[in-house]
Structure formats: structure tokens, C-alpha cells
Amino acid sequence: MSEATIADQSYLFLNRIHDRRFDEESLRILELSLVATNAKSFSDLRSRLRDFMRSESSVIFSELAGESVVAKLSVLEFFARAFALIGDTESCLAMKYEALTLREIKSTSCLWLRVSHSEWNNFAVQSMEHGFPSIARKASENALLGLKRDSLIEPTSEEYSETLDAAESVRRLRDSAASLTSSHSVQAQGAEYLRSKELRILSRQTRPMKNLDSTGSNLFREGINKRNERMLQHLRSTQMIRDLEPLHSRCI
């Protein structure tokens, strides 16, 4: 497929979004434009589509304020699938979470919207697999609430035993997510400390000094500046290693 044809397909998809046509045909056009794009242009096209869809989604959902739950869920599913095609996992999971949360809220008056514990658990697993432990933790807690709601089954039944096993599995997932979330928080605090230390060093480095015309003072100041530069390089390389350690362990 030529670049002109691909551009036409992308333009057609954008027009359908502007026209609020959230259907299978729009998703098919999006998929076709992405599949046909060569490797050189794929990253740029995906980036532009991601930015457009993120921006457009906020506008669209504000327009849906007065629409029915079914209409809102339909649009959320469309955006979740579109973000998945584009490769924007974070936005895809955000759309799924919004849909599950909306169903949970509305299930008090519409029981058919109730989210099962298995749905919450599956979403928690997906969130963990893609590196979002904080979301996985919340989803796991919702799954446990669902299991608690379903535990009204007679204690002697086989279903009750399965519920207990499922609850134990969800608790392990929740605890793993909590542990990872805590670990990420510690790393964030460490990064913030290093950034503040760099700022203090830079502040000292740029502080005015007396006797600017003195040759000895100038040489001393130049020595201090060179030392500070070396310290900054060391701090930055240390931070880079710390940032890469979680990625390295995940690949292993």
C-alpha cells in the first residue's frame, strides 16, 4: 500500500472520530492504516494517533455526560480497543478501568451491570503484566469485595471452597502489587533526593563570588566548578543505573 493510501486511511479514521462514528468500520480503518505502514513511518503515525485520541477522548466523554450508561460503555469499549491497536497500553487500561468502575457504580440500580470478581481479577493481572501495580492493587481489592459478596454461598458447598481458593489467589496478587507500589515509591523518593542534591550543587556553582578580578580566586573557582561537574556526572550516572535496575530485573 502506497504512503498516499495510508495517509488517506488515517485521514478517514480521524474524520470518522470527528463525526463520532465509534463502530467496527472505524476500528477496521485504523487497523488497516497501521498494518500497512512501513517500519520507518509506523512510530510517527502511532505517536500522532495516540496524541489525537487522548485529546479527543476527554472532549468526547464530556459530551456523553447526559447519555445512557449503555452509550457510555460502548464508547469506552471503542476507545479501549482503539488504544490497544495504537499500542497505547496505559490509555487502553484506563478506558477499561473507567468502564468497570462505571458498571460497578450503576449496578446498584441495574444488577446486570455488576462486575464479577473474575473480571476485576483479570484486569488486575493485565495491569500487573504491563507494569501498573497501583492499578492492579485497586482492582484486586475490588475483586476481593466481589468475592466477599459472593461468599453468601453455603460453607459446605463446593462453590464455597472454590471461592476461598480464588480469594487466596487474589490476595497474593494484591500483596505483590502493594509490594511493587511501595518499591516504586522508595525509588521515586530516592530520585527526588538526587534531584534536590543536584539543584543544591548547581546553586553553589552559580553563586556570585568576591574578588572576581583575582587570578587566584578565578583558578580556585574553576577548580570548584570542575569538581561540581564531576559530582553531577556521578550523580546522574548513579541515578541512571537505579532507573535501569527495575527494567533489567523485569527482563530477566
Side-chain angles (χ1 to χ4, degrees):
M1 186 178 291
S2 66
E3 290 187 5
T5 304
I6 294 170
D8 289 341
Q9 292 291 327
S10 302
Y11 182 73
L12 180 57
F13 172 74
L14 299 183
N15 275 342
R16 292 180 71 89
I17 296 301
H18 281 305
D19 293 338
R20 305 303 186 246
R21 301 179 68 176
F22 311 122
D23 53 22
E24 291 293 331
E25 180 65 15
S26 296
L27 290 172
R28 188 189 69 79
I29 293 171
L30 172 61
E31 184 175 16
L32 184 62
S33 65
L34 289 168
V35 170
T37 305
N38 58 47
K40 184 178 180 180
S41 306
F42 179 76
S43 179
D44 180 60
L45 175 61
R46 187 175 66 175
S47 177
R48 286 188 286 111
L49 286 170
R50 180 196 63 212
D51 293 343
F52 168 79
M53 291 294 284
R54 285 185 175 185
S55 174
E56 199 68 14
S57 63
S58 60
V59 176
I60 290 169
F61 292 132
S62 64
E63 296 173 354
L64 292 172
E67 297 294 329
S68 67
V69 178
V70 174
K72 293 176 182 178
L73 290 174
S74 177
V75 176
L76 282 167
E77 181 183 2
F78 173 87
F79 271 86
R81 293 173 63 186
F83 280 125
L85 288 173
I86 295 170
D88 188 351
T89 303
E90 182 178 358
S91 296
C92 175
L93 290 173
M95 295 297 106
K96 289 183 176 182
Y97 185 78
E98 287 294 328
L100 292 172
T101 303
L102 178 61
R103 284 175 54 194
E104 199 70 77
I105 292 172
K106 297 297 182 180
S107 65
T108 55
S109 56
C110 301
L111 291 179
W112 61 274
L113 289 172
R114 178 175 291 175
V115 183
S116 67
H117 64 80
S118 60
E119 288 180 283
W120 277 120
N121 185 59
N122 290 337
F123 179 77
V125 171
Q126 289 179 1
S127 300
M128 280 288 284
E129 289 177 345
H130 289 95
F132 299 97
S134 59
I135 300 176
R137 180 181 180 181
K138 179 61 179 175
S140 299
E141 291 172 350
N142 289 335
L144 288 173
L145 289 175
L147 283 165
K148 184 178 180 180
R149 180 184 61 212
D150 297 339
S151 64
L152 300 175
I153 303 171
E154 290 296 326
T156 56
S157 68
E158 182 178 346
E159 289 83 357
Y160 182 76
S161 177
E162 292 176 355
T163 299
L164 290 178
D165 292 340
E168 181 59 30
S169 176
V170 174
R171 287 192 191 94
R172 287 197 298 268
L173 178 60
R174 180 199 60 188
D175 293 344
S176 296
S179 177
L180 282 173
T181 302
S182 176
S183 175
H184 288 175
S185 297
V186 171
Q187 291 176 3
Q189 292 171 9
E192 181 61 31
Y193 169 76
L194 284 174
R195 282 193 293 270
S196 65
K197 194 167 185 178
E198 283 191 22
L199 288 174
R200 290 196 299 271
I201 292 174
L202 286 171
S203 177
R204 290 197 299 268
Q205 182 178 343
T206 57
R207 187 179 300 162
M209 297 182 67
K210 297 180 179 179
N211 301 325
L212 294 179
D213 296 331
S214 170
T215 302
S217 296
N218 288 339
L219 291 174
F220 178 78
R221 185 167 62 257
E222 289 176 5
I224 292 294
N225 289 342
K226 289 180 180 179
R227 187 194 68 177
N228 287 340
E229 289 176 3
R230 288 195 299 270
M231 291 177 67
L232 274 172
Q233 290 295 329
H234 174 70
L235 287 171
R236 286 170 178 160
S237 62
T238 302
Q239 177 60 30
M240 183 178 295
I241 292 172
R242 292 184 179 178
D243 287 340
L244 289 174
E245 283 178 351
L247 295 175
H248 176 69
S249 61
R250 187 183 302 173
C251 292
I252 295 176

